[in-house]
């Protein structure tokens, strides 16, 4: 049995490995010891965790030093929410849980938003937080940063665990990893009370207590009859459509997904973060004819895409229904890791449950050789709309208005991404988000990272840092000026770690538009506007990065090309017409409006 001792003030963190050597005497060998700090590090390393995103303070300050000393990369942020977002996106990109480390109570709460967001988006992430004395917390005696963190985290994540004894660290870390990445991935909370860290333990017992997780995300093979049911339904379709969600992007089953789309010849729509799974310029992409294909399709195969608000819940006018809750008549095939996803909004006629990789490869295998492509009337009708809409867009993009608008600025971003297909696009805002998504083509998988399921502001700099750290690739973050403000202080972090991040702020002086005024005529500005002509680029210069102020597309192009060439931290303040945006971008209709004017 492992012997756990409470720390004595004088206890060394770890006894010298060879006491004889230390003393030069031939004394009896004292048992080697380890402690909570080192067991945690060993448990993380054993499971291939090499990067920690976090923010130091009591009780984890020394832990951050030791992590770095042990060879892990520790990326230290200015606010925990951004560290959490970095961890979450690292999880999405790598299929390994991203780790965020925070201090008790307020630090924990700051990280919690990112944990909840990760869970909602199915990103594997572990929020590891120090916490204060259990005895004091439970009696509510007012400890330093007292909070019942485990109870608070539980409803906001997939699983939450606390480790009280050093001998249980191995199990705690293993459970957290499995919970984060297996089945539908998500956020996990791991609570580590301050007292755990210095607890000592016999080193051999400590080593034996660690667990290297075997097969953390086991494949889940779909049932053969479910695959057949789905293919039979698809085969009978006159106007089939495939919708790819970010679950499909996460799966890293890119070749099979492409094979499924190309072998069936079925038009597909990528959801925002599934853009690039097949290049957006692919002839089967129906993105430019979205409002035509959704109501017209008769059989829709969802792959790692949920029928939530982003797909109008699978019903209503978007899908050809009469009223806003009416079924449009489509039959749905849903390929998803979670069996309870089916029927969440409308009837699913053919659920295929399993991991996306296994499901898609089973579907491809089931196609056989004689699969008939969809009727030509369907693909031709889509192609016609696409051609028309793409031509219309090209016309808009070619305009060169002064001041610059979203289109003329994003036309430049589009070219830069086209010339640098490995660059990772981070994107948030309202108009700055919606226009970028529709204008900037992605041609490789998992290169577009954005506001996700919640449409949350504040992911920008956390995602940018996380993506740059785990990939080493150039990051281009297209940010609304409001969106940027949520995580803007991390430009210091970007400079400190010298990351190849180029931030482009679409600066229209406000939330949606910068032109609003206070209707009372009073001295306060409208709640939707900011300081006019704010010089965001100086923020980057303050920390040694490159700041550029641009007002025309050629200036923007030059600044972006230089950023990509130099890989230096760069912030480009792109001045956009303050009248160019619309309320909430594309989702104006979701705003409740007052009956009484
Ligand atoms: C955490 C959070 N707070 C508030 C919002 C509401 N919201 C949606 S978009 C947005 C900002 C839009 O302005 P900006 O980023 O400047 O984009 P623009 O439309 O001006 O291009 C806000 C505050 C949100 N989505 N998330
Ligand atoms: Mg704005």
């Amino acid at each position: 049995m492992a012997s756990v001792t409470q720390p004595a003030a004088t206890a060394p963190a770890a006894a010298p490995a060879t006491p004889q050597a230390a003393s030069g005497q031939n004394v009896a060998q004292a048992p080697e010891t380890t402690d909570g700090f080192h067991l945690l590090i060993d448990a993380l390393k054993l499971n291939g965790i090499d990067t920690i995103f976090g923010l130091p303070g009591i009780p984890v300050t020394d832990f951050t030093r030791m992590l770095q000393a042990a060879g892990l990369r520790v990326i230290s942020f200015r606010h925990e929410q951004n560290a959490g977002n970095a961890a979450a996106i690292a999880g999405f990109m790598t299929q390994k849980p991203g780790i965020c480390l925070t201090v008790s109570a307020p630090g924990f709460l700051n990280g919690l938003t990112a944990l909840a967001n990760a869970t909602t988006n199915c990103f594997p992430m572990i929020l590891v937080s120090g916490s204060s004395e259990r005895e004091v917390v439970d009696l509510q005696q007012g400890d330093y940063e007292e909070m019942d963190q485990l109870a608070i985290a539980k409803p906001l994540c997939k699983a939450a665990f606390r480790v009280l004894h050093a001998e249980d660290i191995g199990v705690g870390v293993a459970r957290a990893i499995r919970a984060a990445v297996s089945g539908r991935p998500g956020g996990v909370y791991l609570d580590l009370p301050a007292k755990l860290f210095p607890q000592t333990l016999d080193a051999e017992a400590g080593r034996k207590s660690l667990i290297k997780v075997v097969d953390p995300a086991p494949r889940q093979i779909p049932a053969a009859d479910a695959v057949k049911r789905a293919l039979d339904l698809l085969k009978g379709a006159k106007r089939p459509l495939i919708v790819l969600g970010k679950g499909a992007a996460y799966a890293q089953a890119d070749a099979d997904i492409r094979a499924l789309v190309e072998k069936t010849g079925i038009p597909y729509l990528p959801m925002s973060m599934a853009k690039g799974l097949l290049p957006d310029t692919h002839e089967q992409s129906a993105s430019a004819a979205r409002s035509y294909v959704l109501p017209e399709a008769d059989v829709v195969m969802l792959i790692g895409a949920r029928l939530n608000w982003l797909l109008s819940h699978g019903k209503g006018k978007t899908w050809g229904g009469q009223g806003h809750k009416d079924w449009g008549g489509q039959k749905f095939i849903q390929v998803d890791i979670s069996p309870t996803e089916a029927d969440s909004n409308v009837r699913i006629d053919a659920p295929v449950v399993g991991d996306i990789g296994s499901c898609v490869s089973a579907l491809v295998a089931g196609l056989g050789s004689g699969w008939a492509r969809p009727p030509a009337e369907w693909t031709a009708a889509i192609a016609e709309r696409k051609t028309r809409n793409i031509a219309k867009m090209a016309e808009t993009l070619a305009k060169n208005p002064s001041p610059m608008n979203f289109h003329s600025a994003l036309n430049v971003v589009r070219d830069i991404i086209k010339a640098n297909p490995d660059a990772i696009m981070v994107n948030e805002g309202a108009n700055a988000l919606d226009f970028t998504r529709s204008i900037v083509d992605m041609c490789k998988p998992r290169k577009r990272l954005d506001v996700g399921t919640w449409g949350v502001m504040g992911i920008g700099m956390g995602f940018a840092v996380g993506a740059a750290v785990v990939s080493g690739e150039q990051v281009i973050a297209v940010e609304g000026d409001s969106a940027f403000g949520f995580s803007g202080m991390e430009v210091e972090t970007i400079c400190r770690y010298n990351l190849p991040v180029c931030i482009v702020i679409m600066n229209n002086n406000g939330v949606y538009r910068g032109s609003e005024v206070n209707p009372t005529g009073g001295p306060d500005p409208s709640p939707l506007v900011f300081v006019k002509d704010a010089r965001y680029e100086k923020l980057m210069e303050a920390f040694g990065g490159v700041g550029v102020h641009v007002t025309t597309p050629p200036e923007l192009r030059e600044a972006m090309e230089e950023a990509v060439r130099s890989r230096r931290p760069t912030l480009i303040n792109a001045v956009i017409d303050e009248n160019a945006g619309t309320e909430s971008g594309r989702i104006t209709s979701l705003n409740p409006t007052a009956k009484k004017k």
Side-chain angles (χ1 to χ4, degrees):
M1 203 38 226
S3 66
V4 179
T5 54
Q6 290 303 316
T10 54
T18 55
Q20 298 94 323
S23 65
Q25 309 251 320
N26 193 16
V27 292
Q29 192 162 350
E32 199 189 338
T33 60
T34 184
D35 62 13
F37 287 108
H38 292 87
L39 280 170
L40 273 163
I41 294 169
D42 292 345
L44 293 169
K45 281 177 91 165
L46 185 64
N47 284 289
I49 305 288
D50 53 14
T51 306
I52 307 287
F53 303 95
L55 205 157
I58 296 171
V60 298
T61 313
D62 237 9
F63 186 46
T64 60
R65 291 191 188 102
M66 292 182 196
L67 282 162
Q68 190 170 53
L72 280 92
R73 189 141 195 229
V74 183
I75 306 294
S76 195
F77 285 72
R78 307 301 295 259
H79 190 289
E80 291 88 348
Q81 190 180 123
N82 308 319
N85 284 325
I89 210 62
F92 171 75
M93 292 170 71
T94 64
Q95 297 183 329
K96 272 200 303 190
I99 311 285
C100 174
L101 177 67
T102 64
V103 304
S104 324
F108 155 78
L109 285 175
N110 286 344
L112 199 55
T113 305
L115 186 71
N117 189 54
T119 306
T120 299
N121 283 281
C122 316
F123 299 155
M125 162 186 176
I126 303 173
L127 175 64
V128 179
S129 184
S131 58
S132 41
E133 299 297 335
R134 286 277 1 119
E135 296 84 343
V136 186
V137 173
D138 288 348
L139 279 170
Q140 298 170 38
Q141 294 173 305
D143 204 356
Y144 169 70
E145 299 191 345
E146 174 184 302
M147 178 171 275
D148 189 357
Q149 297 171 195
L150 187 73
I152 290 166
K154 235 173 218 171
L156 297 174
C157 59
K158 218 181 139 184
F161 306 102
R162 174 185 293 134
V163 182
L164 288 175
H165 301 292
E167 70 204 60
D168 294 329
I169 285 172
V171 169
V173 169
R175 298 212 76 192
I177 291 172
R178 279 200 186 279
V181 297
S182 62
R184 170 175 283 178
V188 175
Y189 176 59
L190 187 60
D191 191 81
L192 305 178
K195 268 189 185 167
L196 175 73
F197 293 93
Q199 275 179 27
T200 56
L201 183 66
D202 169 71
E204 181 56 19
R207 264 192 294 278
K208 284 188 184 154
S209 72
L210 298 183
I211 296 174
K212 181 169 168 50
V213 178
V214 175
D215 195 12
R219 289 201 301 150
Q220 295 184 24
I221 313 294
D225 57 340
V227 173
K228 182 173 182 312
R229 189 189 296 121
L231 287 172
D232 286 348
L233 186 54
L234 203 57
K235 210 172 277 174
K238 298 260 173 307
R239 296 180 305 283
L241 176 70
I242 291 174
V243 177
L244 301 173
K246 67 175 157 347
Y250 175 81
Q252 300 194 15
D254 310 333
D256 274 343
I257 288 170
R258 189 169 185 145
L260 180 69
V261 170
E262 292 184 341
K263 286 194 175 155
T264 58
I266 297 175
Y268 73 96
L269 269 184
M271 299 302 288
S272 194
M273 283 177 62
K275 274 166 69 76
L277 257 177
L278 289 88
D280 278 336
T281 49
H282 196 283
E283 66 156 340
Q284 283 171 256
S285 168
S287 288
R290 188 180 195 270
S291 58
Y292 172 72
V293 292
L294 291 182
E296 292 296 322
D298 63 350
V299 176
V300 179
M301 177 183 261
L302 305 158
I303 303 181
R306 293 170 287 184
L307 281 177
N308 56 23
W309 71 280
L310 287 157
L311 281 170
S312 306
H313 306 280
K315 56 193 167 191
K317 295 196 167 143
T318 308
W319 294 87
Q322 296 269 297
H324 90 285
K325 284 203 154 184
D326 292 338
W327 180 45
Q330 290 82 5
K331 301 230 176 214
F332 287 100
I333 299 162
Q334 183 153 34
V335 182
D336 203 280
I337 186 98
S338 169
T340 54
E341 189 56 43
D343 305 330
S344 62
N345 286 273
V346 294
R347 178 174 60 237
I348 300 300
D349 299 277
V352 182
V353 176
D355 68 279
I356 300 290
S358 300
C359 291
V360 174
S361 80
L363 288 162
V364 171
L367 293 177
S369 51
W371 188 273
R373 297 179 81 79
E377 304 91 89
W378 175 233
T379 48
I382 296 170
E384 187 205 315
R385 263 117 190 142
K386 257 181 81 170
T387 311
R388 207 187 307 147
N389 291 339
I390 289 171
K392 216 185 293 171
M393 177 61 92
E395 215 174 278
T396 312
L397 291 178
K399 286 185 187 145
N400 188 11
S402 178
M404 203 155 50
N405 64 8
F406 288 99
H407 290 90
S408 59
L410 288 166
N411 188 36
V412 173
V413 177
R414 174 189 162 98
D415 289 347
I416 300 286
I417 290 283
K418 191 174 176 189
N420 300 278
D422 286 317
I424 295 166
M425 158 72 68
V426 171
N427 189 203
E428 61 177 337
N431 294 279
L433 174 88
D434 291 338
F435 284 121
T436 307
R437 183 178 51 242
S438 60
I439 293 170
V440 179
D441 289 333
M442 307 307 300
C443 77
K444 291 195 175 184
R446 294 169 296 284
K447 297 291 187 184
R448 185 183 155 84
L449 313 172
D450 68 25
V451 299
T453 311
W454 267 348
V456 70
M457 297 300 108
I459 50 87
M461 298 304 104
F463 277 15
V465 171
V469 165
V470 301
S471 72
E473 300 288 356
Q474 176 70 46
V475 172
I476 293 174
V478 176
E479 299 274 311
D481 52 334
S482 166
F484 173 73
F486 287 74
S487 64
M489 193 63 205
E490 302 299 342
V491 294
E492 189 278 330
T493 308
I494 291 166
C495 289
R496 185 163 21 103
Y497 292 95
N498 194 26
L499 299 172
V501 174
C502 171
I503 303 155
V504 180
I505 297 187
M506 297 279 149
N507 187 2
N508 62 350
N509 294 341
V511 178
Y512 316 137
R513 304 161 73 86
S515 52
E516 294 213 20
V517 293
N518 179 340
T520 70
D524 285 350
S526 153
L528 291 144
V529 304
F530 300 135
V531 165
K532 287 206 188 296
D533 306 318
R535 299 303 292 261
Y536 292 101
E537 74 280 8
K538 293 191 189 293
L539 200 56
M540 183 59 102
E541 287 171 356
F543 304 108
V546 178
V548 195
H549 182 254
V550 305
T551 58
T552 65
E555 286 171 5
L556 175 57
R557 188 178 303 271
E558 193 187 329
M560 288 191 80
E561 280 173 353
E562 178 56 20
V564 170
R565 196 197 56 71
S566 71
R567 286 175 59 92
R568 287 187 63 192
T570 301
L571 191 156
I572 304 171
N573 182 3
V575 178
I576 302 289
D577 182 354
E578 64 174 18
N579 296 298
T582 56
E583 179 119 349
S584 303
R586 291 275 169 79
I587 52 175
T588 312
S589 63
L590 297 185
N591 285 294
T593 49
K595 294 276 176 291
K596 185 172 164 227
K597 293 286 171 194

